[in-house]
Amino acid sequence: MEGSGTGLDRFVVLTGGPGSGKSTLIDRLEALGYSTTEEAGRAIIQDQSAIGGRALPWADKDLFAELMLSWELRSLRAAAAQGPGPVFFDRGVVDVIGYLRLEGRPVPDHMHRAALRHRYHRRVFAAPPWPEIFRNDAERKQSVEEAERTYEAVTGAYADYGYELVTLPKAPVEVRSRFLLDNIPLS
């Protein structure tokens, strides 16, 4: 987080469209002993579905985005409290802006401020669309085409906020994790 001495050097974001292997890679990094965060969107959909809430992408896109932003800010605070060492994020604040752009929704000023204030490592790792592994489930209702548009929206948002995008290879998770760890200078 800008100004606090954390974030820029040790908070690493994985982004991309749904069904591109991000969460599998996050799980692999956690198994290797790294600190990780849970994806906001999936958790919010699970929680809201369980209680009959309306903060769902198919019910109230703006409220869903607000809850995702809150989740990401909480994840940043929790990661900062963990002490030294890298933390790998399954998406970040800028993903919320990418989501709103994808949906043709306005990006509120407070979300723009959040993206400027709460920064991550300059390199963001992007999982490209991968139709061969894409699967729908209870929380993932998008089509492959929507997943591709999501990839374009979130990577475009990260580029607009000055991040360097590194495309992950379409390869087994062991190869992807080694690629990521080899391509990020961690202190």
Side-chain angles (χ1 to χ4, degrees):
M1 293 177 286
E2 199 170 281
S4 66
T6 62
L8 291 177
D9 55 344
R10 66 187 194 99
F11 294 171
V12 181
V13 172
L14 280 67
T15 192
S20 58
K22 292 178 311 303
S23 296
T24 299
L25 179 53
I26 286 285
D27 291 345
R28 172 70 177 164
L29 292 166
E30 185 175 40
L32 292 172
Y34 292 99
S35 296
T36 63
T37 68
E38 184 179 0
E39 181 188 359
R42 180 173 288 273
I44 291 165
I45 291 169
Q46 289 170 346
D47 290 348
Q48 290 292 299
S49 295
I51 64 171
R54 71 178 212 281
L56 295 163
W58 49 86
D60 189 332
K61 294 175 185 343
D62 295 325
L63 183 56
F64 180 65
E66 289 293 345
L67 288 186
M68 284 196 299
L69 176 63
S70 292
W71 183 285
E72 296 300 351
L73 295 176
R74 185 201 54 79
S75 293
L76 281 163
R77 283 191 305 278
Q82 288 181 8
V87 180
F88 294 95
F89 286 73
D90 192 340
R91 301 193 178 278
V93 170
V94 178
D95 282 89
V96 180
I97 292 167
Y99 166 74
L100 288 171
R101 290 178 176 180
L102 173 72
E103 295 297 337
R105 310 296 302 161
V107 176
D109 288 342
H110 69 280
M111 288 192 185
H112 175 68
R113 284 191 302 275
L116 293 174
R117 180 170 180 225
H118 301 285
R119 304 289 293 177
Y120 302 88
H121 192 283
R122 67 180 168 77
R123 277 194 187 150
V124 169
F125 290 83
W130 196 351
E132 294 81 9
I133 67 168
F134 181 90
R135 299 288 178 271
N136 288 107
D137 58 30
E139 293 86 32
R140 182 182 302 130
K141 297 183 180 201
Q142 301 95 333
S143 66
V144 171
E145 294 76 21
E146 289 172 303
E148 291 170 357
R149 287 194 307 274
T150 301
Y151 173 83
E152 294 301 325
V154 296
T155 56
Y158 277 100
D160 289 348
Y161 281 91
Y163 289 94
E164 173 190 344
L165 289 156
V166 178
T167 304
L168 291 165
K170 292 180 183 178
V173 69
E174 296 79 14
V175 173
R176 274 187 156 188
S177 61
R178 179 52 34 213
F179 174 87
L180 187 154
L181 294 170
D182 287 347
N183 283 282
I184 192 145
L186 296 172
S187 44

